[in-house]
Coordinates of all heavy atoms in Angstrom, one line a residue:
I146 N -61.6 -58.2 16.4 CA -60.9 -57.7 15.3 C -59.4 -57.9 15.5 O -58.8 -57.7 16.5 CB -61.2 -56.1 15.2 CG1 -62.7 -55.9 15.3 CG2 -60.7 -55.6 13.9 CD1 -63.0 -54.4 15.4
Q147 N -58.8 -58.3 14.3 CA -57.3 -58.6 14.3 C -56.7 -57.7 13.2 O -57.4 -57.4 12.2 CB -57.1 -60.1 14.1 CG -57.9 -61.0 15.1 CD -57.7 -62.4 14.6 OE1 -56.6 -62.9 14.4 NE2 -58.8 -63.1 14.5
Y148 N -55.4 -57.5 13.3 CA -54.7 -56.7 12.3 C -53.3 -57.2 12.1 O -52.7 -57.9 12.9 CB -54.7 -55.2 12.6 CG -53.6 -54.8 13.7 CD1 -52.4 -54.3 13.3 CD2 -53.9 -54.9 15.1 CE1 -51.4 -53.9 14.2 CE2 -53.0 -54.6 16.0 CZ -51.7 -54.1 15.6 OH -50.8 -53.8 16.5
M149 N -52.7 -56.9 10.9 CA -51.4 -57.3 10.6 C -50.8 -56.1 9.7 O -51.5 -55.3 9.1 CB -51.3 -58.6 9.8 CG -52.1 -58.7 8.5 SD -54.0 -58.8 8.6 CE -54.3 -60.0 9.8
T150 N -49.4 -56.0 9.7 CA -48.8 -55.1 8.9 C -48.4 -55.7 7.6 O -47.8 -56.7 7.5 CB -47.5 -54.6 9.5 OG1 -47.8 -54.0 10.8 CG2 -46.7 -53.6 8.7
I151 N -49.0 -55.3 6.4 CA -49.1 -55.9 5.2 C -47.7 -56.2 4.6 O -47.4 -57.2 4.0 CB -49.9 -55.1 4.2 CG1 -51.4 -55.0 4.7 CG2 -49.9 -55.8 2.8 CD1 -52.2 -54.1 3.8
S152 N -46.7 -55.2 4.8 CA -45.5 -55.3 4.2 C -44.5 -56.2 4.8 O -43.3 -56.5 4.4 CB -44.8 -54.0 4.1 OG -44.6 -53.4 5.4
T153 N -44.8 -56.7 6.1 CA -44.0 -57.7 6.8 C -44.7 -59.1 6.7 O -45.6 -59.3 6.0 CB -43.9 -57.2 8.3 OG1 -45.2 -57.3 8.9 CG2 -43.4 -55.8 8.4
L154 N -44.0 -60.0 7.5 CA -44.6 -61.3 7.7 C -44.8 -61.4 9.2 O -44.1 -60.9 10.1 CB -43.7 -62.4 7.3 CG -43.4 -62.4 5.8 CD1 -42.4 -63.6 5.5 CD2 -44.5 -62.6 4.9
G155 N -45.8 -62.2 9.6 CA -46.0 -62.4 11.1 C -47.5 -62.7 11.4 O -48.3 -62.6 10.6
N156 N -47.8 -63.0 12.7 CA -49.1 -63.2 13.1 C -49.9 -62.0 13.4 O -49.4 -60.9 13.6 CB -49.0 -64.1 14.4 CG -48.4 -65.5 14.1 OD1 -48.3 -66.0 13.1 ND2 -47.8 -66.1 15.2
A157 N -51.2 -62.2 13.3 CA -52.1 -61.1 13.6 C -52.1 -60.8 15.1 O -51.8 -61.6 15.9 CB -53.6 -61.5 13.2
A158 N -52.5 -59.5 15.4 CA -52.6 -59.0 16.7 C -54.0 -58.4 17.0 O -54.7 -58.1 16.0 CB -51.5 -57.9 17.1
D159 N -54.4 -58.2 18.2 CA -55.7 -57.8 18.6 C -55.8 -56.3 18.3 O -54.9 -55.5 18.5 CB -56.0 -58.0 20.1 CG -57.4 -57.5 20.5 OD1 -58.3 -58.1 20.0 OD2 -57.5 -56.5 21.2
F160 N -56.9 -55.9 17.6 CA -57.2 -54.6 17.2 C -58.3 -53.9 18.2 O -58.2 -52.8 18.6 CB -57.7 -54.5 15.8 CG -58.0 -53.1 15.2 CD1 -57.0 -52.4 14.4 CD2 -59.2 -52.4 15.5 CE1 -57.3 -51.2 14.0 CE2 -59.5 -51.2 15.0 CZ -58.4 -50.6 14.2
G161 N -59.4 -54.7 18.5 CA -60.4 -54.2 19.3 C -61.7 -55.1 19.0 O -61.5 -56.2 18.7
D162 N -62.9 -54.6 19.2 CA -64.1 -55.4 19.1 C -65.2 -54.7 18.3 O -65.3 -53.4 18.4 CB -64.6 -55.7 20.5 CG -63.7 -56.7 21.2 OD1 -63.4 -57.7 20.7 OD2 -63.4 -56.3 22.4
L163 N -66.0 -55.5 17.6 CA -67.2 -55.0 17.0 C -68.3 -54.9 18.1 O -68.0 -55.3 19.2 CB -67.7 -56.0 15.9 CG -66.8 -56.3 14.8 CD1 -67.2 -57.5 14.0 CD2 -66.9 -55.1 13.8
S164 N -69.4 -54.2 17.8 CA -70.4 -54.0 18.8 C -71.1 -55.4 19.2 O -71.5 -55.5 20.3 CB -71.6 -53.2 18.3 OG -72.1 -53.8 17.1
S165 N -71.0 -56.4 18.3 CA -71.5 -57.8 18.6 C -70.9 -58.7 17.6 O -70.1 -58.3 16.7 CB -73.1 -57.8 18.4 OG -73.4 -57.5 17.1
V166 N -71.2 -60.0 17.9 CA -70.6 -61.0 16.9 C -71.2 -60.7 15.6 O -72.4 -60.2 15.4 CB -70.9 -62.5 17.3 CG1 -70.4 -62.8 18.7 CG2 -72.5 -62.7 17.4
R167 N -70.4 -61.0 14.5 CA -70.8 -60.6 13.1 C -70.1 -61.5 12.2 O -68.9 -61.6 12.2 CB -70.6 -59.2 12.8 CG -71.3 -58.7 11.5 CD -71.1 -57.4 11.1 NE -71.7 -56.3 12.0 CZ -72.1 -55.1 11.7 NH1 -72.0 -54.8 10.4 NH2 -72.6 -54.3 12.6
T168 N -70.9 -62.1 11.3 CA -70.4 -63.0 10.2 C -71.0 -62.6 8.8 O -72.1 -61.9 8.8 CB -70.7 -64.5 10.4 OG1 -72.2 -64.6 10.5 CG2 -70.1 -65.0 11.7
S169 N -70.3 -62.9 7.8 CA -70.8 -62.7 6.4 C -71.3 -61.2 6.2 O -72.3 -61.0 5.5 CB -72.0 -63.6 6.1 OG -71.7 -65.0 6.3
A170 N -70.5 -60.3 6.6 CA -70.7 -58.8 6.3 C -69.9 -58.4 5.3 O -69.0 -59.1 4.7 CB -70.4 -58.0 7.7
G171 N -70.1 -57.2 4.7 CA -69.3 -56.5 3.8 C -68.5 -55.4 4.4 O -68.9 -54.6 5.2
A172 N -67.2 -55.4 4.1 CA -66.3 -54.3 4.6 C -65.5 -53.6 3.5 O -65.1 -54.2 2.5 CB -65.2 -55.0 5.5
C173 N -65.1 -52.3 3.8 CA -64.4 -51.5 2.8 C -63.8 -50.4 3.5 O -64.0 -50.2 4.7 CB -65.4 -51.0 1.7 SG -66.7 -50.0 2.3
S174 N -62.9 -49.6 2.8 CA -62.2 -48.6 3.5 C -61.6 -47.5 2.5 O -61.5 -47.8 1.3 CB -61.0 -49.3 4.3 OG -60.1 -49.8 3.4
N175 N -61.2 -46.4 3.1 CA -60.3 -45.5 2.4 C -59.0 -45.6 3.2 O -58.8 -46.5 4.0 CB -60.9 -44.1 2.2 CG -61.1 -43.4 3.5 OD1 -60.8 -43.8 4.6 ND2 -61.8 -42.3 3.4
V176 N -58.1 -44.6 3.1 CA -56.8 -44.7 3.8 C -57.0 -44.4 5.3 O -56.1 -44.8 6.1 CB -55.8 -43.8 3.2 CG1 -55.5 -44.2 1.8 CG2 -56.2 -42.3 3.3
I177 N -58.1 -43.8 5.7 CA -58.3 -43.5 7.1 C -59.2 -44.4 7.8 O -59.0 -44.9 8.9 CB -58.7 -42.0 7.2 CG1 -57.7 -41.0 6.6 CG2 -59.0 -41.6 8.6 CD1 -58.1 -39.7 6.4
R178 N -60.4 -44.6 7.3 CA -61.5 -45.3 7.9 C -61.7 -46.6 7.2 O -61.8 -46.8 6.0 CB -62.7 -44.5 7.9 CG -62.9 -43.5 9.1 CD -64.3 -42.9 8.8 NE -64.5 -41.9 9.9 CZ -65.6 -41.2 10.0 NH1 -66.6 -41.3 9.2 NH2 -65.7 -40.2 11.0
G179 N -62.1 -47.6 8.1 CA -62.7 -48.8 7.6 C -64.1 -49.0 8.2 O -64.4 -48.7 9.2
L180 N -65.0 -49.5 7.2 CA -66.4 -49.7 7.5 C -66.8 -51.1 7.3 O -66.3 -51.9 6.5 CB -67.2 -48.9 6.6 CG -67.4 -47.4 6.9 CD1 -66.1 -46.6 6.8 CD2 -68.4 -46.7 5.9
I181 N -67.7 -51.6 8.2 CA -68.2 -52.9 8.0 C -69.8 -52.8 8.1 O -70.3 -52.0 8.9 CB -67.7 -54.0 9.1 CG1 -68.3 -55.3 8.9 CG2 -67.9 -53.5 10.6 CD1 -67.7 -56.4 9.8
G182 N -70.5 -53.4 7.2 CA -72.0 -53.2 7.2 C -72.7 -54.5 6.8 O -72.2 -55.4 6.2
G183 N -73.8 -54.7 7.4 CA -74.7 -55.9 7.1 C -74.1 -57.1 7.9 O -73.3 -57.1 8.8
G184 N -74.5 -58.3 7.4 CA -74.1 -59.5 7.9 C -75.0 -60.1 9.0 O -76.2 -59.6 9.0
S185 N -74.6 -61.1 9.7 CA -75.5 -61.7 10.7 C -75.0 -61.5 12.1 O -73.8 -61.6 12.3 CB -75.5 -63.3 10.4 OG -76.0 -63.5 9.1
T186 N -75.8 -61.2 13.0 CA -75.3 -60.7 14.4 C -76.1 -61.5 15.5 O -76.2 -60.8 16.6 CB -75.5 -59.3 14.5 OG1 -76.9 -58.9 14.4 CG2 -74.6 -58.5 13.6
P187 N -76.7 -62.6 15.5 CA -76.8 -63.6 14.4 C -77.8 -63.5 13.3 O -77.7 -64.1 12.3 CB -76.9 -64.9 15.2 CG -77.8 -64.5 16.3 CD -77.4 -63.2 16.7
S188 N -78.9 -62.7 13.6 CA -79.9 -62.5 12.4 C -79.4 -61.3 11.6 O -78.4 -60.6 11.9 CB -81.2 -62.0 13.1 OG -81.0 -60.8 13.8
S189 N -79.9 -61.3 10.4 CA -79.5 -60.1 9.4 C -79.6 -58.8 10.0 O -80.5 -58.5 10.7 CB -80.3 -60.2 8.2 OG -80.1 -61.4 7.5
T190 N -78.5 -58.0 9.7 CA -78.5 -56.6 10.4 C -78.3 -55.6 9.2 O -77.7 -56.0 8.1 CB -77.4 -56.5 11.3 OG1 -77.4 -55.2 11.9 CG2 -76.0 -56.7 10.7

Side-chain angles (χ1 to χ4, degrees):
I146 309 170
Q147 307 172 51
Y148 77 97
M149 61 288 310
T150 301
I151 297 171
S152 63
T153 65
L154 302 177
N156 296 335
D159 183 64
F160 183 100
D162 292 309
L163 298 163
S164 61
S165 63
V166 298
R167 190 181 294 209
T168 61
S169 302
C173 58
S174 64
N175 63 11
V176 298
I177 299 170
R178 269 187 185 177
L180 280 63
I181 182 171
S185 298
T186 64
S188 60
S189 295
T190 182

